[in-house]
Amino acid sequence: MAIDDTPAPHTRPHAPRRAGPPDTTTQDEDAQTCALLADSARLSRRKFLNAAGAGVAAALAAPALAETLADVPPRVPGDPISLNSKRSTHVALARITESSPGKLNVDPVLAINSKTPLDKLEGTVTPSDLHYERSHSGSPDLDPARHRLLIHGMVRNPVVLALPDLKAMPSLSRLHFMECSGNGWANWKKADPTLTVQETHGLVSMHEWAGVPLSYLMEVAGVDRDATWMLAEGGDAAGVARSIPLTPDVLSDVLVAYAQNGEPLRPAHGFPMRLLVPGMEGNLSIKWLRRLKFGKQPFMTRWETDRYTQLLPSGKSRQFQLYQEVNSVITSPSGTMRIERGRQRITGLAWSGRGKIAKVEFSTDGGHSWHVARINPPVLHKAQVRFEAAWTWDGKPTRIVSRATDEKGNVQPDRKTLLATMGENALFHYNAQQTWAIDAQGGVTNVLA
């Protein structure tokens, strides 16, 4: 930023401060200080922008600039120390509920999930209380003193572990995203123009997870080398259970987690322990984990023969479509927002279940031309990244869209390409490029490219 360092009228260089009584200010110094403040107050917004230069100052939004120092509120006493810090009363952050694709803001009793407010978050880590929620029979608050994890099947030493047993073992903490396989499902067949990015993409979150590596637990139990699949079963009333192949990714990445963002798991997210399967559909990361069984083939639970299967254009169903493919979305500007003509900051999130994000591109002309966005570090394995770019909107109607590429060369498809493979009757793993339309008044809406 270029700063005008010409001394202001009625000012003089500061002399070294001398030791003395707390109040040594003279009337002359008071007068000079008041003159300086008055001169600063007369500094108009236009003069400030000219003095600051076209760099950082150009990115400032007009409402963020105080016209005078008198705009700064006085100091006031604050609240006393509390046992739990609360958000500011000026900050509104909440999830929204959903009962079926696109049926939103329903009674929580009727909801099957709640969605993360991606448009109101900064950085990449999701606060624990805003992690999207998906359950099939509610969230039990299990007693950790009674809860147990059984590891059996093709093992030499079947074991039963309590929470203290897990906490006594070597642990790891890692940043990984988690995504419901139904994320984006509202856009399969149509684009509701009233939807926000929270409503289209809010079934993804990222956290720091802590727990014991699955590979360590497999050593403890002595899992047979011939075992190629694992059954993970939860302690909820629905008895959700999934078969997971013991791929190299699973053996190196999976944790039995007991903490999230530095605190014990919350009941809605699996307290006292859950499986974390980075990069694969969220329903494999079994909550309230109570059993791991090893075998030579998938266990074919109803969750993989009925619930989490994908209908293809041929009429057949695909099973075990496990990985969450490369994806991205612009979170600002996004659905239902309104922008002003001039400089804009485009920002969003990108992620891939196959590894690190290598590149994010954005288009401000509906995909006719593409530009590389800046990715904010760190860029981690199977973790979300924040991307951003500067753009000057000329006030004409247009469309903005992003696409991500991961380290394995997988490119986020456009809608036409995805539908050519999956058809319009699919429900899960929607990762097509998200397009936002901007009208002449600056209104932003959800559209299909």
Side-chain angles (χ1 to χ4, degrees):
M1 177 183 291
I3 299 295
D4 184 354
D5 58 2
T6 304
H10 310 295
T11 64
R12 65 183 180 185
H14 291 286
R17 176 167 294 183
R18 299 186 301 270
D23 186 6
T24 59
T25 304
T26 66
Q27 290 183 351
D28 182 56
E29 288 172 331
D30 278 340
Q32 292 173 13
T33 300
C34 290
L36 175 60
L37 292 176
D39 185 74
S40 297
R42 287 192 294 269
L43 184 63
S44 69
R45 177 172 177 270
R46 180 179 299 277
K47 289 180 180 178
F48 174 80
L49 292 177
N50 289 338
V56 175
L60 293 174
L65 295 174
E67 293 293 342
T68 169
L69 291 179
D71 289 347
V72 179
R75 293 185 176 92
V76 294
D79 292 334
I81 297 297
S82 60
L83 297 180
N84 296 94
S85 298
K86 298 179 180 179
R87 292 190 177 96
S88 166
T89 56
H90 303 282
V91 174
L93 293 173
R95 298 181 305 205
I96 56 173
T97 54
E98 184 178 50
S99 60
S100 61
K103 192 169 183 180
L104 300 153
N105 296 304
V106 299
D107 185 328
V109 175
L110 304 175
I112 63 172
N113 65 51
S114 64
K115 296 186 169 186
T116 298
L118 299 181
D119 51 332
K120 295 181 175 64
L121 300 183
E122 301 292 342
T124 55
V125 175
T126 309
S128 297
D129 64 327
L130 296 176
H131 179 345
Y132 80 86
E133 184 179 342
R134 172 74 171 104
S135 65
H136 294 271
S137 56
S139 300
D141 190 5
L142 304 181
D143 182 354
R146 299 180 59 191
H147 188 78
R148 298 292 184 268
L149 169 61
L150 167 65
I151 303 178
H152 67 138
M154 292 180 63
V155 302
R156 293 190 302 275
N157 308 304
V159 294
V160 176
L161 302 173
L163 183 60
D165 298 323
L166 281 181
K167 290 189 172 183
M169 295 177 177
S171 65
L172 291 175
S173 60
R174 293 172 173 162
L175 281 165
H176 290 298
F177 78 87
M178 183 180 294
E179 184 178 20
C180 178
S181 58
N183 201 22
W185 59 2
N187 276 350
W188 271 112
K189 293 184 178 181
K190 63 179 182 179
D192 183 340
T194 68
L195 297 185
T196 66
V197 70
Q198 179 179 14
E199 294 162 337
T200 61
H201 285 77
L203 291 177
V204 63
S205 304
M206 192 170 87
H207 310 271
E208 181 192 42
W209 305 94
V212 180
L214 174 66
S215 57
Y216 182 86
L217 294 173
M218 291 175 65
E219 289 183 16
V220 170
V223 174
D224 193 309
R225 292 181 178 273
D226 291 333
T228 55
W229 286 80
M230 175 180 72
L231 175 72
E233 180 186 81
D236 55 330
V240 177
R242 288 301 313 265
S243 300
I244 302 170
L246 297 177
T247 63
D249 268 7
V250 168
L251 296 176
S252 64
D253 294 347
V254 173
L255 298 178
V256 173
Y258 47 75
Q260 172 186 4
N261 291 346
E263 65 174 345
L265 294 169
R266 299 190 178 197
H269 306 307
F271 181 82
M273 63 185 73
R274 71 174 301 161
L275 200 65
L276 174 70
V277 187
M280 293 189 181
E281 54 187 22
N283 63 82
L284 269 68
S285 292
I286 296 294
K287 294 180 282 189
W288 316 290
L289 184 66
R290 74 171 188 175
R291 187 160 70 105
L292 295 174
K293 183 178 182 179
F294 293 87
K296 287 186 176 182
Q297 58 189 11
F299 294 82
M300 306 307 287
T301 71
R302 73 182 182 93
W303 304 98
E304 50 223 20
T305 57
D306 175 30
R307 186 65 184 91
Y308 289 104
T309 59
Q310 189 82 302
L311 184 63
L312 300 176
S314 64
K316 295 183 178 181
S317 293
R318 174 181 291 176
Q319 291 178 299
F320 302 111
Q321 185 181 351
L322 304 180
Y323 283 93
Q324 294 297 114
E325 301 294 347
V326 61
N327 209 337
S328 73
V329 64
I330 294 172
T331 57
S332 180
S334 61
T336 74
M337 292 183 181
R338 184 169 296 277
I339 64 174
E340 299 292 336
R341 181 180 302 189
R343 191 178 178 91
Q344 305 294 327
R345 174 179 175 260
I346 291 177
T347 186
L349 296 165
W351 61 98
S352 174
R354 301 288 184 174
K356 295 180 180 180
I357 290 294
K359 180 174 64 174
V360 180
E361 298 166 283
F362 70 99
S363 173
T364 58
D365 58 9
H368 294 290
S369 62
W370 294 90
H371 313 276
V372 177
R374 184 173 73 87
I375 296 177
N376 297 342
V379 180
L380 303 174
H381 178 66
K382 298 181 180 178
Q384 286 186 317
V385 298
R386 170 72 60 179
F387 66 86
E388 57 183 21
W391 169 53
T392 301
W393 181 49
D394 60 9
K396 297 177 182 178
T398 190
R399 297 186 174 197
I400 59 174
V401 59
S402 65
R403 69 181 179 194
T405 303
D406 66 24
E407 62 181 340
K408 292 184 171 60
N410 300 302
V411 181
Q412 182 182 0
D414 57 28
R415 177 177 169 79
K416 181 179 179 180
T417 301
L418 179 67
L419 293 186
T421 302
M422 301 304 302
E424 293 188 6
N425 291 323
L427 189 62
F428 304 119
H429 295 267
Y430 185 88
N431 70 315
Q433 298 164 14
Q434 170 65 44
T435 302
W436 304 112
I438 301 175
D439 61 27
Q441 289 72 46
V444 187
T445 54
N446 176 39
V447 295
L448 300 181

